[in-house]
Amino acid sequence: MSTRRRPAPAPPVQPAVPVRLLDWHDGRHFAWPERCVLCRKTTPLRSHDGEAVHKTCAELWNARNPGETRFVSDPPKSGKSKDHA
């Protein structure tokens, strides 16, 4: 009996520019799971416009579409930071 091997999946295409990480700490970025608008897998995350999207998908989209502002970071918190690290 012979077994067929599936071909290895192709690695994701890397963007030409560095990926800038998004800061999505605000609780408004979470809701009921829906399909990501970019990869179609389920995610509880939401963009500032309410689109269901994984943070990594949004970061890669931003890197592939420089100059567009579809996905943005949270504004910096005012006042002193409570982070000690």
Side-chain angles (χ1 to χ4, degrees):
M1 179 177 187
S2 65
T3 59
R4 292 185 181 183
R5 290 184 177 229
R6 292 183 183 175
V13 177
Q14 295 298 318
V17 296
V19 175
R20 298 187 86 183
L21 301 179
L22 295 171
D23 178 5
W24 283 1
H25 284 94
D26 194 302
R28 292 177 287 175
H29 291 289
F30 296 92
W32 290 102
E34 290 184 22
R35 293 196 182 268
C36 175
V37 296
L38 300 175
C39 75
R40 305 305 301 157
K41 293 181 182 176
T42 305
T43 180
L45 293 173
R46 297 293 184 275
S47 71
H48 284 84
D49 290 335
E51 292 180 286
V53 64
H54 294 102
K55 185 173 169 279
T56 54
C57 290
E59 292 164 345
L60 287 172
W61 189 93
N62 282 345
R64 291 182 183 130
N65 299 280
E68 296 190 36
T69 57
R70 182 175 181 184
F71 304 111
V72 296
S73 288
D74 291 340
K77 293 181 180 179
S78 61
K80 293 183 179 180
S81 173
K82 295 186 181 188
D83 293 338
H84 297 285

